[in-house]
Amino acid sequence: MMIACIYIPQIGIACERRLRKLESGVPVALADAEGRLLTVSPQAERFGVCPGILASGARALCPDLQIAAYQRELYEETAAGIWNLLAVESSYVEPETPERCFAALDGRQISHRVQKLVESAGGIVGAPVYAALASSKLTAAQSARQAEPGRVERVLPGTEAEVLAPTLLGAVRQIPEATVRRLERLGVRTLGDLLQLPVCELQRQFAGPGLLLRRLAMGEDGDSVRALWPPRVIERSVAFDDEAVYDTTIWAALSRCAAGISAGLLRGGDYARTIALQVELADGSRLQISEKPHAPLQSAVDLHQAALRLLARLALQAPVARVTLQAAGLGSGSGVQLELLDTAGVLFGLPHERQSRLDAALERLKRRYGGKTIQTGSEISSPLRIRLWVGPLGRRLDEPVQVTTDSQGAPLCCWRRGRPCRVVHIQNMWRETEWQEGVTAQQSVYRVETDTLGMLELVQAASGWRLGALAD
């Protein structure tokens, strides 16, 4: 059994080029809702534009840069064509993002089959396709990043540790961030460095997780490929012996479909997040409509009401030969959340009543999932006195950093966890006076915009530079 990873980092760029009818030489970038770049085309990289910087800084580097909002659903529609090709070869296909997908393959000529699939995928997407075969998802994903476009990179058994050696610990999602910071303090920054530590030292430093860390460095992540594509659906149909022209007849048929779907959902403990209705008319034409309810559905009553809403939107003008009701987007979560606040203000409109209900809900969650599951902001951050019109940044930190300054003492670049972070723009600067153990201490605070970490605050005190806060 081998695991294939198909990696297409430029799929969003290719979709936006087709949508906006842009030429291949135009620099394009995709940004999130906060204006931070997620993907950058090779044409934009030539100007120094890279993922992680803000759109304002990117346009300063490349005035002709075309920035589009990241549209995951649009890119998934294109990627679905590739996922369908994988589903022909394997029963276990796991789309992780539009850019990356895994598949478990067995049988003969696996490399040849994946190579043909990569060639077909390149024609579908119109962007470079990277692929790798390995014994684990972690090894396949890292090898695909280093592969040549259009060529399948196969990791031979026993060489996983060599392939994973240059991988930074922060890029391995199975390792918690706190563990990464602790390892970096020990001088361990890559999986290769991790393997250099003796097993006894890993066990002494991390107890049980020490052996798990070593297994990750050797490519044994234990993460199997899940069968997530094609998506599971439950479908029920009713065909009419005589063409249905009365609403009551169609409503009754939809009620039977809803009851059948509800029974299937209850057996599997699932909820439907998408409801689709297909109506076949007497002349052979078909009409289809779907909706995503505000909450997942499971009961026959709710499914029937959703079907009637869809039927009303179709506004049928011809006799009906068949109706088909389909439930998709199946999952085990109901989506029902605790009612923390009464938005109508009828029952819990007073402040002390809202606070009481919030405290009760938090206590319920702590009893069920543990006392440290949820923490309020007041428990994890200390209040900050803001003397200017600027608001506080979301993540409060207090860690030393190395900073280089210009002739005036303003920061030019800082290093966090061994990685350089260039200051693009100084947004503001102010001085604070703190009272510490009977003496006053002055410090200068610079709020700066950087090319990789976004907005952050650098604090210059007598003891040196420190990273005070980081934007969410």
Side-chain angles (χ1 to χ4, degrees):
M1 178 72 70
M2 299 291 290
I3 295 178
C5 175
I6 306 299
Y7 181 54
I8 315 175
Q10 296 289 317
I11 186 172
I13 300 291
C15 291
E16 293 295 338
R17 287 192 187 279
R18 289 197 298 267
L19 182 64
R20 299 167 177 261
K21 299 180 180 180
L22 298 176
E23 297 180 358
S24 58
V26 177
V28 182
L30 304 180
D32 59 11
E34 298 178 354
R36 196 175 306 280
L37 301 190
L38 301 175
T39 309
V40 176
S41 68
Q43 295 79 11
E45 291 178 347
R46 299 191 187 104
F47 292 87
V49 180
C50 60
I53 68 175
L54 295 175
S56 57
R59 285 199 174 94
L61 296 172
C62 180
D64 297 331
L65 181 65
Q66 299 292 320
I67 300 178
Y70 186 87
Q71 305 179 68
R72 176 164 183 155
E73 292 185 358
L74 173 63
Y75 311 149
E76 285 180 346
E77 292 179 3
T78 302
I82 302 171
W83 303 341
N84 290 333
L85 294 177
L86 284 170
V88 174
E89 297 288 343
S90 172
S91 299
Y92 293 88
V93 179
E94 181 182 347
E96 192 175 68
T97 63
E99 292 79 13
R100 187 163 65 182
C101 180
F102 296 96
L105 299 169
D106 56 6
R108 298 181 178 180
Q109 298 182 338
I110 296 179
S111 299
H112 177 68
R113 287 152 53 192
V114 176
Q115 183 64 50
K116 291 181 61 178
L117 189 145
V118 167
E119 294 171 0
S120 301
I124 294 174
V125 178
V129 180
Y130 305 84
L133 282 168
S135 58
S136 66
K137 291 172 64 175
L138 175 61
T139 309
Q142 295 301 322
S143 181
R145 290 179 174 273
Q146 304 168 12
E148 297 180 9
R151 180 181 176 183
V152 180
E153 185 75 21
R154 180 159 186 164
V155 181
L156 298 177
T159 64
E160 292 87 356
E162 181 181 350
V163 173
L164 293 175
T167 305
L168 295 174
L169 298 178
V172 183
R173 61 183 180 183
Q174 291 92 335
I175 304 180
E177 185 177 354
T179 304
V180 172
R181 293 198 298 267
R182 187 174 174 185
L183 285 167
E184 288 178 345
R185 287 196 294 269
L186 297 174
V188 179
R189 290 181 170 81
T190 65
L191 291 178
D193 297 338
L194 187 62
L195 278 181
Q196 300 302 318
L197 289 179
V199 177
C200 57
E201 182 66 15
L202 271 177
Q203 289 181 311
R204 187 182 71 84
Q205 292 283 350
F206 300 96
L211 293 179
L212 297 178
L213 292 173
R214 187 172 181 84
R215 289 183 60 186
L216 283 175
M218 297 176 65
E220 301 173 3
D221 58 7
D223 190 4
S224 59
V225 179
R226 297 175 295 170
L228 300 182
W229 190 267
R232 294 187 300 126
V233 298
I234 299 179
E235 182 179 287
R236 293 293 184 273
S237 298
V238 172
F240 302 104
D241 295 333
D242 298 324
E243 299 168 354
V245 294
Y246 298 105
D247 290 341
T248 54
T249 305
I250 302 175
W251 293 349
L254 291 177
S255 178
R256 290 166 54 190
C257 294
I261 292 176
S262 177
L265 293 173
L266 290 170
R267 281 195 300 270
D270 293 324
Y271 291 80
R273 289 165 174 78
T274 302
I275 306 298
L277 174 64
Q278 185 182 88
V279 177
E280 183 177 339
L281 302 179
D283 59 4
S285 60
R286 294 183 180 181
L287 302 176
Q288 186 168 351
I289 188 173
S290 64
E291 75 169 15
K292 291 186 177 181
H294 70 282
L297 306 181
Q298 188 184 54
S299 68
V301 175
D302 293 338
L303 291 168
H304 188 216
Q305 290 178 350
L308 294 180
R309 288 197 302 269
L310 295 174
L311 181 66
R313 294 174 193 167
L314 288 177
L316 301 177
Q317 301 294 331
V320 176
R322 176 190 291 268
V323 292
T324 302
L325 189 62
Q326 185 184 86
L330 307 185
S332 58
S334 66
V336 177
Q337 299 183 4
L338 296 173
E339 184 183 359
L340 303 182
L341 302 176
D342 176 38
T343 55
V346 178
L347 299 177
F348 303 96
L350 298 178
H352 72 279
E353 292 173 326
R354 295 198 298 269
Q355 185 63 44
S356 176
R357 188 167 180 82
L358 175 61
D359 294 340
L362 293 177
E363 186 63 29
R364 176 182 171 186
L365 290 173
K366 289 180 179 180
R367 285 198 307 268
R368 182 170 181 179
Y369 300 106
K372 296 184 178 181
T373 302
I374 292 183
Q375 290 181 298
T376 61
S378 59
E379 295 175 344
I380 60 177
S381 64
S382 58
L384 174 68
R385 293 196 298 268
I386 299 297
R387 300 180 177 86
L388 299 179
W389 59 89
V390 296
L393 298 182
R395 293 176 56 189
R396 305 297 304 155
L397 301 172
D398 187 20
E399 59 184 51
V401 292
Q402 181 183 355
V403 178
T404 58
T405 61
D406 59 10
S407 59
Q408 304 298 324
L412 293 175
C413 184
C414 67
W415 280 262
R416 185 175 187 234
R417 300 176 183 174
R419 303 174 185 174
C421 179
R422 186 171 61 88
V423 176
V424 178
H425 173 67
I426 298 179
Q427 187 187 70
N428 219 319
M429 180 268 182
W430 66 91
R431 290 184 173 86
E432 295 180 348
T433 302
E434 301 287 342
W435 181 266
Q436 298 178 356
E437 299 178 356
V439 297
T440 58
Q442 289 189 347
Q443 58 186 20
S444 301
V445 183
Y446 293 84
R447 176 166 291 189
V448 299
E449 179 182 337
T450 63
D451 58 347
T452 57
L453 294 179
M455 196 74 66
L456 52 84
E457 288 179 1
L458 296 174
V459 182
Q460 184 184 25
S463 58
W465 287 90
R466 304 187 70 84
L467 179 59
L470 187 67
D472 288 327

